[in-house]
C-alpha cells in the first residue's frame, strides 16, 4: 500500500514565524456549497474533504497523498480477511466525549449500511469486532489490498452522540433525506462547526483539544460558496477572500499581475474523458443502429480531435494530454498506455467512410458546465472539431447534478466524465467502476455498457490480489485492452488551479482537494 | 394618387414633429442601420457563428483589428471559441430582433383579439378578460417569462432545449406583454362600438367578427403602434436578461444577452472586446427604440408636449 | 366602503387560488412525482403504494384541494435539488431579499421624487433635459450590465465595496439582518444601487409627467392667479396631487423590485430567494419554483390590495371596480 506520488508543489510553509501566530481567519471561496455535515451522506470528494476538517478517518492521506495514521496508530493483518486496527489513545470529540472502539464499529457499519450512499466506498466489509476499548478487527469478505485507501474516506462519529440524536441510521442525500447530522457535527478533527448558512457561509473554529500537532495557524475558517468564477476572482482581487478554488485559467494572467495575490498551479490527477454509448441504439441519432459500436467510428472521433490545440487555447497550456485513463502517478499506469493517436482529420473522414458513414450521423454530446476546468469550453471545441469531419454532434451543457443523473441513466451518446480514482488512488478504481461490465457492485459508472470478458476477469482477480507487482501487471494488461477497444476517450489531466492572497500558504495536493487544516497565514 | 398620399403623410403633424425632432431622427437612423444589419447578417458577416464547423480554434481570442495582434479577418476580434465577435453581434442582433418582433406580434395578436372581444361583447366575457389582465399586470414580466421558461424546460427533453430555446423565449415574452394592448383596444372598442358606422354595419347584417376586424380594428391601431414600439425595447431587454441568466439562447446560438453572459466570464482575463461590443450594441438598440417610443408617445399625446 | 373591501378581498383570494392552480399543475405534470420518491429498483407494487400514499389515485380536484390546504400551511414538500424542506429554504432566504428590496425601494423614492419634481419645474433647463435623457439611458441599460460595471469599478478597480454576498449578518430570531454590521451595510450598497436604478428612473419620469399635468390644471392656474407664491403652489398643492398616483404605481413596482432582485442576486451572489428561484429554474426544481411563485404572488396580492384600499380611502371616486392604473414595468 505504498504510493510514489510525484507531487511537484513547493508552496510549503517554512514556519519561520510560527511562534508569533495570532488569531488568523481563512476566508475560503469555493465554487459550490457543501451539502451538509453528515460524513456518510454524500460521495462527492469535495464535500468529504471539507468534512475532513471536522471528522477524521482511521488513516488519512497526507497533503503529499501518502497514507499516514490518524485515529488508528497502526494496523496488522491477522488473517487475509481479518485486519486489526490499534486506535489512538486520548482522542476526544468536540463535545468532550472520549473516542473508543465502539465509535469505530458503529461508524463503519453506518457507512456500509445498505441505505448509505457511501457503501460502495468500503467494499467487502462484513463486520467490525471490538477487541478492547482501543482495538478493533475489520472482518472482510475477501482479501482487500486497498483497505487503507478506502478507510481514508470513512469518517468516525461518536456512537453515543448518534444514539442520543437518533442518527445511527445513515441518510442518503441523493434520496432526498436530511437528518440531525446534516446540520450538526461532532467530530474529532482540528475544527468545530460554529455556524452554517446554506449557500452563504459556513464557519469553523479551531478545536483546541485536537490530538495532533497542528500545522496550521488558523483559529477560524469561513467557507463561502461563490458560484460565478468571475465573481470569485473579483472577491480575491478586492481582498474579501483569501483563497479560491478553482481559479479560472483564463484569469491567471490577471491574478499574477495583480499585487498581493498569486496563482497556485500544478498538474492534477483528475483525468477528463468522454464516455461512449455502446448499447444497440443512439439516444438522439438519425440512424437505426449505433455507429459508436464500430471501433472505426470511435477511432475516427479520436483522430478528429486536436487535443494539442485544445490544450493550448482552452486550457492555456496547463493541462496534460493523455491517452491513458489514469494519471502517471496512479498505480496501474504504464508509459505504453499513454501513446496517443495523432490528430488526423483526413484519416477520420476515411475511417467514417469505411464504416459506412461518409456523411456522418447525429448524436448527443453531453457535458457539465460547472464542474471541471473549462468543461463547457472543451466540449464546444470538441463539437466543432467533430463537425469538421462531417459528424453532427448536438451539444448539451448542463449543471453537474443534471448531467451526472442523465449520464448515469444512459441517456447520453457521448458524455464527459472526470475521474481522479479517489479515494483509492489506484487504477482499480477505474477498472471496477468504469470498465467492468455493469453487474452488482462492478461497473457502477459504466452507463455506456462497455463489456470485455478478459477485462472483467482481470478486474476480479486484481480485487483480491495482495501482491503489488502482480496486481500492477494485471492492471496494465486490462488498461491495454481498454485502450485498444477505445472503451473511453481520454482527453487530459486537468490542472490544479487555485489562487490565494500573498501570505496564505497551502500545499496543493495533486487530488485537487484543499486540506484547510494545513493552511498557514503569514502577514 | 401615390404622390398625394406621400405628400399628405409628409405634411401631417406627425411627420412634421418627426422632421423637427433630433432624437427621433437620430434614433430612427440608428435603428434603420441595426435592422439592416440584422436582416443582411448572413451577407455582412464574415463567418456563420452558429455553424460550429466554421470555428477554427487557432483563431481564438484575437483582439479587434486595430489592436496589436488583431486581424482584418476578424474586425472586432474573436472569443475563446474563435467565434468572430463582429459576426456574432450581427447574428445575435438578428436573434434579439426576431425574438423581440415575434413576441411583440404574439402579444399584440393576443392583446388585440382579447381587447376586441371584451370591448365588443362586454358583460361577463369582458369582466373575466379584464380581471385576468389585471392579475397578470401585477406580475412583473421577467418573473412570468422565467416561469414559462422553467415550465418549458421541465416539459421538454434536454436535447430539444437548444432547438426550442427561441420559441420558448418568444412564447414566454409574448405571453407576458399582451395586457396593455388588450386594455387599450378594449377602451377604444367600447367607444367605437357606440358610433354610427358600427350601428349601420350591424343593421346591414354584418357579423360580429366582421365588424370587429373590418370596421373597429383599423380605428384602434394608432395607440397599438405606440405600445408595440415601447414593448419592442422591453422584449429585447427581457430576452437579453433571460439569456444572461442562462435560461435563454444557448452558447452555440448566442443572442446579444448570451454573448454578454459569455463575455462576463472573461471579464478579468483581458478579453474585453467579447463583453464590451455586444453590450454597446444592446444598449444602443434598446435606447433607440425607447427614444423613438418616447417621441411617438409625446407626438401622439399633445397634452404632454 | 365595506362592500369594496369585501369585493377586493374575495378577488385577492380568487387570484391566489388561480396561482395555486398553476403551482399545482406544475407539481402534477412536470416530472413524475413518484419516481423521485422511490428507489430506482422499486417494484410496480411499491410504486402503487407510494401513489396511494401521496393521494395521486384521487380525482384531480381532490388533489388540488389537498395541495391548497398544504400550501396554506406553508408545506411544499422537499426541494428536488437538495432535499431540504422548501419552506425552510425560503424562510432562510427571505430576509436577504426583503432587506435588499426595502433599501432599493427607499433609495428609488428618496432620489427619484426630488429629481422628478426638479425636471417638472424646470423642464427646459439643461440639467433637466440631461436628467431626462439619462433616465432613458437608465431604462435602456440592462440591469446586469449596470451590475457588472459597478463591480468592475467599485470592487475591482477602487476596492471600496464588496463584490458579492451579504457581508456579516446577525440573527435576530429567525431573521438574519445585515443592517447592524458595518460589513453588512457596505455589502448592501452596490446591489441596492443596481436594483433601484430602473425603478428610480421610472419614478422620476412618472413624477415629472404627473407634476407637469397637475401644474397645467385649472386648479393650479387659479391658485397662481390668486397670487400664491410658486413654492406654496408647487409643494402644497401640486405635489400632493402628484403623489397619489405615484404611490399606487410604487406599490405595483415593489413587486417589480422583488422580481428584478432575481438578476441582482445572480450578479452579486446575494443569498436571497431570487437566486434560489433561478437555481430552481435551471434544475427544473418544481417544488421550489412553485413555492416561490405562491409566496411572491401572495406578497403582490397583499401589496396590491392594500394599495387599492389605501387609494380608495384617499379618493372615494375610485371605489368603482374599474380602477387600477396602467403600468407594470418590463
Amino acid at each position: 500500500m505504498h504510493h510514489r506520488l510525484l507531487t511537484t508543489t513547493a508552496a510549503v510553509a517554512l514556519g519561520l514565524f510560527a511562534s508569533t501566530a495570532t488569531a488568523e481567519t481563512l476566508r475560503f471561496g469555493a465554487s459550490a456549497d457543501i451539502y451538509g455535515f453528515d460524513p456518510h451522506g454524500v460521495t462527492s470528494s469535495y464535500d468529504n474533504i471539507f468534512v475532513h476538517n471536522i471528522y477524521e478517518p482511521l488513516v488519512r492521506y497526507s497533503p503529499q497523498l501518502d497514507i499516514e495514521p490518524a485515529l488508528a496508530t497502526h494496523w496488522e493483518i491477522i488473517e487475509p480477511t481479518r485486519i486489526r486496527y490499534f486506535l489512538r489513545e486520548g482522542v476526544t470529540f468536540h463535545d468532550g466525549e472520549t473516542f473508543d472502539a465502539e465509535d469505530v464499529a458503529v461508524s463503519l457499519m453506518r457507512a456500509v449500511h445498505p441505505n448509505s450512499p457511501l457503501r460502495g466506498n468500503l467494499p467487502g466489509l462484513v463486520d467490525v469486532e471490538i477487541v478492547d476499548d482501543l482495538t478493533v478487527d475489520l472482518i472482510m469478505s475477501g482479501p482487500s489490498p486497498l483497505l487503507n485507501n478506502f478507510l481514508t474516506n470513512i469518517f468516525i462519529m461518536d456512537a453515543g452522540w448518534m444514539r442520543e440524536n437518533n442518527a445511527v441510521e445513515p441518510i442518503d442525500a441523493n434520496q432526498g433525506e436530511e437528518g440531525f447530522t446534516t446540520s450538526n457535527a461532532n467530530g474529532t478533527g482540528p475544527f468545530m462547526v460554529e455556524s452554517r448558512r446554506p449557500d452563504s457561509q459556513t464557519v469553523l473554529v479551531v478545536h483546541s483539544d485536537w490530538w495532533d500537532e497542528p500545522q496550521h495557524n488558523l483559529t477560524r475558517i469561513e467557507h463561502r460558496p461563490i458560484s460565478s468564477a468571475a465573481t470569485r476572482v473579483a472577491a480575491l482581487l478586492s481582498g474579501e477572500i483569501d483563497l479560491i478554488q478553482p481559479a479560472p485559467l483564463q484569469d491567471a494572467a490577471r491574478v499574477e499581475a495583480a499585487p498581493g495575490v498569486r496563482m497556485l498551479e500544478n498538474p492534477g490527477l483528475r483525468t477528463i474523458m468522454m464516455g461512449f454509448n455502446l448499447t444497440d441504439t443512439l439516444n438522439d441519432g438519425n440512424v437505426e443502429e449505433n455507429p459508436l459500436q464500430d471501433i472505426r467510428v470511435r477511432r475516427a472521433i479520436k483522430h478528429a480531435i486536436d487535443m494539442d490545440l485544445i490544450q493550448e487555447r482552452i486550457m492555456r497550456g496547463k493541462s496534460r494530454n493523455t491517452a491513458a485513463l489514469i494519471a502517471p502517478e496512479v498505480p496501474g499506469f504504464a508509459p505504453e498506455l499513454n501513446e496517443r493517436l495523432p490528430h488526423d482529420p483526413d484519416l477520420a473522414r476515411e475511417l467514417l467512410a469505411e464504416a459506412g458513414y461518409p456523411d456522418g450521423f447525429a448524436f448527443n454530446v453531453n457535458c457539465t458546465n460547472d464542474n471541471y476546468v473549462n468543461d463547457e469550453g472543451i466540449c464546444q471545441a470538441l463539437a466543432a472539431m467533430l463537425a469538421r469531419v462531417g459528424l453532427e454532434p448536438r451539444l448539451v451543457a448542463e449543471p453537474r447534478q443534471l448531467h451526472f443523473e442523465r449520464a448515469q441513466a444512459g441517456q447520453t451518446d457521448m458524455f464527459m466524465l472526470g475521474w481522479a480514482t479517489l479515494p483509492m488512488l489506484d487504477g482499480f478504481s477505474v477498472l471496477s467502476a468504469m470498465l467492468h461490465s455493469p453487474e452488482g457492485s462492478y461497473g457502477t459508472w459504466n452507463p455506456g455498457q462497455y463489456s470485455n470478458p478478459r477485462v472483467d476477469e482481470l478486474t476480479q482477480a486484481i480485487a483480491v490480489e495482495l501482491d503489488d507487482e502482480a496486481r500492477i501487471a494485471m492492471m496494465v494488461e486490462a488498461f491495454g485492452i481498454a485502450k485498444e477497444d477505445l472503451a473511453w476517450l481520454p482527453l487530459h489531466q486537468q490542472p490544479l488551479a487555485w489562487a490565494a492572497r500573498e501570505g496564505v500558504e497551502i500545499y496543493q495536493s495533486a487530488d485537487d482537494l484543499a486540506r484547510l487544516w494545513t493552511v498557514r497565514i503569514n502577514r | 394618387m401615390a404622390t398625394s398620399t406621400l405628400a399628405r403623410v409628409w405634411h401631417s403633424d406627425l411627420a412634421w414633429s418627426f422632421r423637427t425632432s433630433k432624437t427621433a431622427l437620430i434614433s430612427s437612423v440608428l435603428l434603420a442601420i441595426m435592422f439592416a444589419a440584422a436582416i443582411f447578417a448572413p451577407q455582412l458577416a464574415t463567418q456563420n457563428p452558429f455553424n460550429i464547423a466554421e470555428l477554427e480554434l487557432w483563431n481564438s481570442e484575437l483582439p479587434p483589428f486595430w489592436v496589436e495582434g488583431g486581424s482584418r479577418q476578424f474586425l472586432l476580434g474573436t472569443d475563446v471559441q474563435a467565434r468572430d465577435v463582429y459576426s456574432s453581434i450581427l447574428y445575435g442582433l438578428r436573434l434579439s430582433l426576431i425574438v423581440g418582433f415575434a413576441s411583440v406580434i404574439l402579444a399584440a395578436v393576443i392583446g388585440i383579439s382579447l381587447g376586441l372581444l371584451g370591448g365588443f361583447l362586454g358583460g361577463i366575457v369582458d369582466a373575466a378578460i379584464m380581471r385576468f389582465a389585471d392579475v397578470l399586470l401585477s406580475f412583473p414580466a421577467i418573473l412570468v417569462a422565467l416561469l414559462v421558461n422553467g415550465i418549458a424546460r421541465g416539459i421538454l427533453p434536454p436535447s430539444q432545449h437548444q432547438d426550442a430555446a427561441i420559441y420558448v423565449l418568444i412564447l414566454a415574452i409574448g405571453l407576458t406583454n399582451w395586457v396593455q394592448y388588450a386594455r387599450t383596444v378594449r377602451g377604444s372598442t367600447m367607444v367605437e362600438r357606440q358610433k354610427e358606422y358600427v350601428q349601420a354595419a350591424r343593421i346591414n347584417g354584418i357579423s360580429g367578427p366582421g365588424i370587429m376586424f373590418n370596421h373597429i380594428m383599423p380605428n384602434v391601431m394608432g395607440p397599438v403602434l405606440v405600445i408595440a414600439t415601447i414593448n419592442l425595447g422591453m422584449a429585447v431587454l427581457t430576452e437579453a436578461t433571460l439569456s444572461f441568466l442562462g435560461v435563454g439562447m444557448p452558447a452555440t446560438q448566442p443572442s446579444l444577452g448570451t454573448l454578454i453572459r459569455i463575455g462576463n466570464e472573461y471579464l478579468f482575463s483581458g478579453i474585453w472586446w467579447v463583453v464590451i461590443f455586444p453590450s454597446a450594441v444592446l444598449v444602443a438598440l434598446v435606447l433607440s427604440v425607447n427614444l423613438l417610443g418616447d417621441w411617438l408617445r409625446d407626438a401622439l399625446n399633445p397634452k404632454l408636449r | 366602503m365595506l362592500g369594496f373591501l369585501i369585493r377586493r378581498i374575495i378577488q385577492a383570494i380568487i387570484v391566489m387560488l388561480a396561482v395555486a392552480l398553476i403551482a399545482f399543475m406544475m407539481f402534477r405534470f412536470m416530472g413524475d412525482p413518484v419516481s423521485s420518491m422511490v428507489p430506482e429498483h422499486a417494484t410496480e407494487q411499491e410504486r402503487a403504494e407510494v401513489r396511494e400514499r401521496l393521494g395521486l389515485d384521487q380525482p384531480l380536484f381532490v388533489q388540488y384541494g389537498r395541495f391548497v390546504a398544504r400550501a396554506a400551511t406553508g408545506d411544499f414538500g422537499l426541494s428536488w435539488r437538495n432535499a431540504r424542506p422548501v419552506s425552510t429554504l425560503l424562510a432562510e432566504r427571505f430576509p436577504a431579499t426583503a432587506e435588499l428590496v426595502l433599501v432599493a425601494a427607499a433609495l428609488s423614492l428618496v432620489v427619484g421624487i426630488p429629481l422628478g419634481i426638479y425636471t417638472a419645474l424646470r423642464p427646459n433647463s439643461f440639467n433637466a433635459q440631461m436628467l431626462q435623457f439619462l433616465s432613458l439611458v437608465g431604462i435602456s441599460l440592462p440591469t446586469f450590465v449596470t451590475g457588472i460595471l459597478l463591480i468592475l469599478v467599485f470592487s475591482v478597480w477602487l476596492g471600496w465595496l464588496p463584490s458579492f454576498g451579504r457581508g456579516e449578518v446577525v440573527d435576530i430570531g429567525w431573521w438574519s439582518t445585515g443592517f447592524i454590521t458595518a460589513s453588512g451595510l457596505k455589502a448592501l450598497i452596490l446591489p441596492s444601487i443596481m436594483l433601484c436604478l430602473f425603478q428610480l428612473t421610472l419614478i422620476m419620469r412618472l413624477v415629472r409627467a404627473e407634476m407637469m399635468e397637475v401644474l397645467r390644471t385649472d386648479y393650479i392656474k387659479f391658485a397662481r392667479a390668486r397670487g400664491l407664491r410658486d413654492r406654496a403652489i408647487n409643494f402644497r398643492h401640486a405635489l400632493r396631487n402628484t403623489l397619489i398616483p405615484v404611490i399606487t404605481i410604487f406599490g405595483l413596482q415593489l413587486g417589480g423590485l422583488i422580481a428584478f432582485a432575481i438578476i441582482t442576486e445572480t450578479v452579486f451572489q446575494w443569498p436571497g430567494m431570487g437566486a434560489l428561484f433561478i437555481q430552481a429554474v435551471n434544475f427544473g426544481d418544481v417544488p421550489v419554483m412553485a413555492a416561490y411563485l405562491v409566496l411572491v404572488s401572495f406578497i403582490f396580492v397583499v401589496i396590491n390590495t392594500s394599495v387599492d384600499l389605501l387609494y380608495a380611502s384617499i379618493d372615494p371616486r375610485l371605489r368603482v371596480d374599474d380602477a387600477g392604473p396602467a403600468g407594470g414595468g418590463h
Side-chain angles (χ1 to χ4, degrees):
Chain A
M1 273 166 250
H2 174 72
H3 294 295
R4 289 164 293 117
L5 285 165
L6 307 170
T7 44
T8 49
T9 330
V12 190
L14 294 173
L16 289 176
F17 306 103
S19 55
T20 60
T22 49
E24 296 290 358
T25 298
L26 176 76
R27 295 162 302 171
F28 178 50
S31 63
D33 198 11
I34 55 162
Y35 177 76
F37 298 124
D38 191 299
H40 311 138
V42 277
T43 50
S44 126
S45 50
Y46 178 76
D47 283 311
N48 279 320
I49 204 68
F50 187 78
V51 169
H52 204 325
N53 285 302
I54 305 161
Y55 289 102
E56 290 173 299
L58 291 179
V59 293
R60 69 182 177 197
Y61 283 122
S62 71
Q64 294 75 23
L65 304 184
D66 298 316
I67 287 177
E68 60 182 30
L71 293 182
T73 49
H74 56 290
W75 48 90
E76 150 188 333
I77 300 176
I78 309 273
E79 306 161 20
T81 57
R82 175 183 288 267
I83 297 95
R84 179 159 297 174
Y85 284 83
F86 300 92
L87 307 180
R88 194 175 293 279
E89 216 182 323
V91 175
T92 55
F93 285 93
H94 296 157
D95 68 354
E97 283 295 314
T98 311
F99 160 76
D100 63 19
E102 198 203 357
D103 299 326
V104 175
V106 176
S107 297
L108 295 188
M109 292 320 285
R110 184 178 194 261
V112 298
H113 189 280
N115 293 342
S116 159
L118 223 60
R119 61 192 178 277
N121 285 13
L122 186 50
L125 180 72
V126 177
D127 198 10
V128 181
E129 283 178 11
I130 298 174
V131 180
D132 63 44
D133 265 4
L134 290 173
T135 316
V136 291
D137 282 354
L138 271 56
I139 313 298
M140 310 302 293
S141 58
S144 306
L146 293 174
L147 181 57
N148 270 350
N149 305 47
F150 288 124
L151 285 174
T152 58
N153 203 34
I154 309 291
F155 299 106
I156 307 301
M157 307 167 77
D158 182 22
W161 182 76
M162 281 191 280
R163 282 199 198 100
E164 253 165 53
N165 296 299
N166 202 14
V168 180
E169 289 268 308
I171 54 168
D172 187 343
N174 302 330
Q175 290 294 323
E177 292 171 2
E178 189 183 353
F180 181 77
T181 46
T182 312
S183 43
N184 297 277
N186 177 32
T188 59
F191 291 93
M192 321 190 267
V193 177
E194 183 189 272
S195 65
R196 166 163 169 78
R197 280 176 214 286
D199 288 330
S200 176
Q201 178 163 291
T202 301
V203 180
L204 305 183
V205 290
V206 73
H207 172 211
S208 49
D209 283 340
W210 192 35
W211 56 269
D212 201 3
E213 185 64 40
Q215 287 179 46
H216 68 84
N217 65 346
L218 306 176
T219 49
R220 187 178 161 89
I221 294 173
E222 294 176 6
H223 178 274
R224 302 191 191 164
I226 310 174
S227 59
S228 148
T231 310
R232 215 152 52 233
V233 174
L236 179 75
L237 292 175
S238 62
E240 296 160 70
I241 290 287
D242 301 310
L243 174 68
I244 61 172
Q245 182 209 14
L249 291 181
Q250 62 268 17
D251 294 352
R254 175 80 170 82
V255 171
E256 290 293 358
V261 289
R262 66 186 201 289
M263 286 293 291
L264 304 172
E265 288 171 320
N266 273 297
L269 291 179
R270 189 171 295 274
T271 305
I272 305 299
M273 57 195 100
M274 301 301 290
F276 291 111
N277 167 9
L278 299 176
T279 61
D280 290 338
T281 49
L282 286 174
N283 286 294
D284 203 11
N286 55 358
V287 286
E288 288 271 309
E289 69 289 356
N290 180 357
L292 294 174
Q293 284 185 327
D294 189 330
I295 179 74
R296 288 170 299 189
V297 172
R298 299 204 295 278
R299 285 227 179 86
I301 287 176
K302 175 94 185 170
H303 283 297
I305 297 170
D306 185 353
M307 277 316 290
D308 291 335
L309 191 56
I310 289 183
Q311 186 207 32
E312 181 196 319
R313 292 301 167 114
I314 309 283
M315 305 306 287
R316 323 269 147 176
K318 305 264 168 63
S319 59
R320 189 164 55 179
N321 287 340
T322 182
L325 290 167
I326 49 175
E329 295 87 346
V330 177
F333 179 87
E336 66 266 25
L337 296 174
N338 206 12
E339 280 158 18
R340 292 193 287 139
L341 293 179
H343 168 57
D344 189 343
D346 294 330
L347 182 56
R349 275 186 217 99
E350 248 169 64
L351 282 167
L352 282 177
E354 206 177 293
Y357 304 99
D359 302 319
F361 57 93
F363 59 103
N364 272 344
V365 177
N366 284 62
C367 291
T368 55
N369 58 13
D370 63 349
N371 203 39
Y372 306 121
V373 179
N374 287 347
D375 40 12
E376 192 176 359
I378 295 168
C379 271
Q380 285 186 29
L382 277 186
M385 288 165 178
L386 296 180
R388 290 254 281 275
V389 298
L391 294 164
E392 295 167 51
R394 299 151 65 92
L395 185 65
V396 181
E398 293 179 303
R400 60 180 157 209
Q401 209 168 344
L402 295 175
H403 171 79
F404 290 128
E405 205 179 294
R406 230 182 277 302
Q408 195 146 29
Q411 294 166 359
T412 60
D413 296 328
M414 231 177 120
F415 63 94
M416 185 177 247
L417 182 67
W419 204 266
T421 70
L422 297 174
M424 284 183 228
L425 284 177
D426 190 277
F428 180 69
S429 159
V430 174
L431 290 170
S432 71
M434 294 159 53
L435 292 174
H436 193 289
S437 321
E439 52 185 63
S441 63
Y442 283 116
T444 50
W445 248 115
N446 184 6
Q449 306 197 3
Y450 169 72
S451 180
N452 182 311
R454 178 66 185 151
V455 172
D456 291 0
E457 192 184 315
L458 283 165
T459 304
Q460 288 169 28
I462 294 162
V464 293
E465 177 58 65
L466 289 172
D467 177 61
D468 256 5
E469 222 166 286
R471 282 184 81 242
I472 291 191
M474 284 193 284
M475 284 203 276
V476 172
E477 187 191 340
F479 279 126
I481 298 168
K483 180 177 193 288
E484 208 48 47
D485 286 347
L486 214 56
W488 292 74
L489 176 60
L491 303 178
H492 58 229
Q493 272 105 37
Q494 68 179 19
L496 314 177
W498 310 354
R501 210 161 50 73
E502 223 48 86
V504 175
E505 309 278 10
I506 181 168
Y507 187 93
Q508 200 172 18
S509 303
D511 58 6
D512 209 7
L513 300 177
R515 292 173 165 81
L516 300 182
W517 63 93
T518 63
V519 170
R520 293 191 68 82
I521 298 184
N522 305 312
R523 297 221 182 253
Chain B
M1 180 73 185
T3 44
S4 75
T5 311
L6 266 182
R8 221 174 52 225
V9 169
W10 179 251
H11 290 294
S12 70
D13 278 358
L14 197 64
W16 185 82
S17 153
F18 183 79
R19 275 179 282 140
T20 50
S21 160
K22 248 184 264 164
T23 40
L25 280 173
I26 295 174
S27 55
S28 46
V29 167
L30 261 175
L31 271 183
I33 294 173
M34 282 190 271
F35 284 1
I39 292 168
F40 297 109
Q43 285 75 37
L44 293 171
T46 52
Q47 182 195 64
N48 177 0
F50 296 173
N51 179 3
I52 52 175
E54 281 188 36
L55 309 183
E56 307 196 6
L57 198 55
W58 52 83
N59 290 326
S60 67
E61 292 175 45
L62 294 174
F65 77 92
W66 63 86
V67 178
E68 200 183 318
S71 146
R72 286 196 178 273
Q73 195 193 340
F74 305 102
L75 292 176
L76 300 180
T78 58
D79 74 358
V80 280
Q81 291 289 337
R83 221 175 270 119
D84 178 34
V85 172
Y86 161 73
S87 307
S88 303
I89 289 178
L90 290 177
Y91 276 82
L93 191 64
R94 194 176 156 97
L95 267 184
S96 296
L97 284 172
I98 289 175
V99 173
F101 273 111
S103 60
V104 163
I105 291 170
L106 178 65
V109 168
I110 300 174
I112 293 170
S113 318
L114 290 179
L116 281 172
L117 213 62
F120 198 76
L121 296 177
I124 187 140
V125 179
D126 182 41
I129 293 173
M130 285 302 119
R131 277 292 137 271
F132 185 58
D134 280 350
V135 172
L136 196 63
L137 198 60
S138 65
F139 287 88
I142 185 81
L143 185 65
V144 183
L146 269 171
L147 199 72
V148 174
N149 204 303
I151 292 175
R153 275 168 174 265
I155 294 171
L156 294 171
S159 55
Q160 283 174 26
H161 281 181
Q162 289 204 3
D163 299 334
I166 189 163
Y167 304 106
V168 172
L169 280 173
I170 292 170
L171 197 71
I173 301 170
L175 283 182
T176 54
N177 281 332
W178 57 267
V179 175
Q180 274 178 298
Y181 302 93
R183 290 187 157 206
T184 312
V185 171
R186 168 182 175 264
S188 313
T189 310
M190 288 175 97
V191 176
E192 298 289 328
R193 194 172 60 170
Q194 306 304 326
K195 291 197 178 156
E196 279 175 16
Y197 74 95
V198 176
Q199 308 290 355
R202 248 189 213 175
I203 292 166
N204 286 337
I206 297 173
S207 67
I211 298 173
M212 275 200 281
F213 287 101
N214 295 329
H215 298 269
I216 298 181
M217 205 167 84
N219 287 303
V220 297
M221 287 313 279
V224 163
L225 271 182
V226 179
I227 299 174
T229 315
I230 294 166
N231 265 350
L232 180 65
M234 294 205 174
V236 168
L237 262 188
T238 309
E239 184 278 325
T241 306
L242 290 175
S243 292
F244 176 79
L245 290 175
V247 292
M249 295 306 296
T252 43
Q253 293 168 53
S255 70
L256 289 177
T258 318
L259 288 174
I260 297 170
R261 174 170 66 87
I262 298 169
N264 186 32
E265 286 163 27
Y266 297 89
L267 204 58
F268 301 111
S269 45
I271 327 176
W272 51 271
W273 53 91
V274 183
V275 69
I276 295 290
F277 294 126
S279 303
V281 172
L282 177 64
V283 173
L285 172 65
V286 179
L287 187 61
S288 336
V289 173
N290 282 349
L291 280 171
L292 202 65
D294 225 33
W295 163 80
L296 199 60
R297 189 175 44 198
D298 285 356
L300 291 179
N301 185 3
K303 217 170 47 169
L304 285 177
R305 210 177 296 152
Chain C
M1 186 67 199
L2 190 66
F4 178 76
L5 183 80
I6 292 171
R7 245 196 343 265
R8 272 296 188 231
I9 289 176
I10 289 176
Q11 203 180 317
I13 292 173
I14 292 174
V15 170
M16 283 315 296
L17 285 176
V19 169
L21 183 64
I22 296 174
F24 167 71
M25 304 281 258
M26 285 166 64
F27 257 110
R28 191 64 186 76
F29 297 110
M30 283 174 64
D32 178 9
V34 175
S35 66
S36 67
M37 302 280 295
V38 298
E40 282 163 45
H41 42 79
T43 62
E44 197 42 50
Q45 171 78 20
E46 284 169 322
R47 284 171 188 277
E49 274 165 23
V50 173
R51 202 173 290 279
E52 201 172 325
R53 188 155 52 83
L54 291 177
L56 293 176
D57 52 343
Q58 303 281 323
L60 272 183
F61 67 90
V62 175
Q63 292 182 39
Y64 171 62
R66 285 183 181 171
F67 176 83
V68 171
R70 285 197 306 126
T73 62
D75 178 6
F76 286 93
L78 297 176
S79 153
W80 290 355
R81 186 172 83 92
N82 57 8
R84 306 185 60 220
V86 175
S87 50
T88 315
L89 280 175
L90 282 174
E92 270 168 14
R93 305 299 200 100
F94 182 74
T97 301
E99 291 190 351
L100 179 63
V101 167
L102 282 180
V103 172
L107 265 181
S108 61
L109 282 182
V110 168
V111 182
I113 293 178
L115 286 182
I117 296 171
Y118 177 79
T119 48
L121 293 182
R122 309 237 180 295
N124 295 319
S125 75
F126 174 76
N127 282 346
Q129 301 237 319
M130 205 57 216
L131 277 171
Q132 185 69 4
F133 178 74
L134 278 181
S135 74
L136 212 61
V137 175
I139 287 184
S140 309
L141 208 61
T143 45
F144 52 90
V145 172
T146 327
I148 294 169
L149 287 177
L150 286 174
I151 292 181
L152 207 57
V153 174
F154 292 100
S155 303
V156 179
W157 290 348
L158 298 174
W160 291 349
L161 295 166
S163 56
F164 79 100
R166 291 185 79 191
E168 205 172 317
V169 291
V170 177
D171 285 321
I172 301 176
W174 64 277
W175 189 280
S176 66
T177 181
F179 282 162
I180 51 178
T181 63
S183 80
L185 289 172
K186 268 175 95 177
L188 262 167
I189 297 175
L190 291 184
S192 53
I193 289 179
M194 167 181 166
L195 183 55
C196 83
L197 228 48
F198 185 80
Q199 304 310 109
L200 192 158
T201 48
L202 215 64
I203 286 179
M204 178 189 137
R205 291 164 70 83
L206 188 75
V207 169
R208 170 182 176 271
E210 286 290 335
M211 186 99 174
M212 286 174 83
E213 195 135 340
V214 171
L215 285 176
R216 254 194 300 270
T217 54
D218 295 342
Y219 158 70
I220 297 291
K221 282 183 185 150
F222 180 67
R224 227 182 273 278
R226 263 185 15 203
L228 286 179
R229 282 185 305 137
D230 271 3
R231 179 175 284 269
I233 294 172
N234 290 342
F235 290 94
R236 195 164 314 148
H237 299 283
L239 187 58
R240 195 191 294 160
N241 283 309
T242 300
L243 286 187
I244 295 175
V246 169
I247 286 170
T248 317
I249 299 278
F250 180 74
L252 288 173
Q253 291 301 328
L254 209 56
L257 281 177
I258 295 176
F260 269 94
I262 296 172
I263 307 161
T264 311
E265 289 177 9
T266 307
V267 172
F268 283 95
Q269 310 265 310
W270 191 265
M273 294 192 302
L276 187 72
F277 178 65
I278 211 62
Q279 268 177 353
V281 170
N282 258 315
F283 279 96
D285 189 344
V286 173
V288 173
M289 266 159 46
Y292 178 85
L293 176 70
V294 171
L295 178 65
V296 168
S297 312
F298 182 69
I299 297 173
F300 288 177
V301 166
V302 168
I303 293 174
N304 287 350
T305 310
S306 16
V307 166
D308 278 355
L309 294 177
L310 198 75
Y311 206 48
S313 64
I314 296 173
D315 188 348
R317 277 172 307 163
L318 286 157
R319 278 177 212 160
V320 275
D321 216 345
D322 203 42
H330 95 107

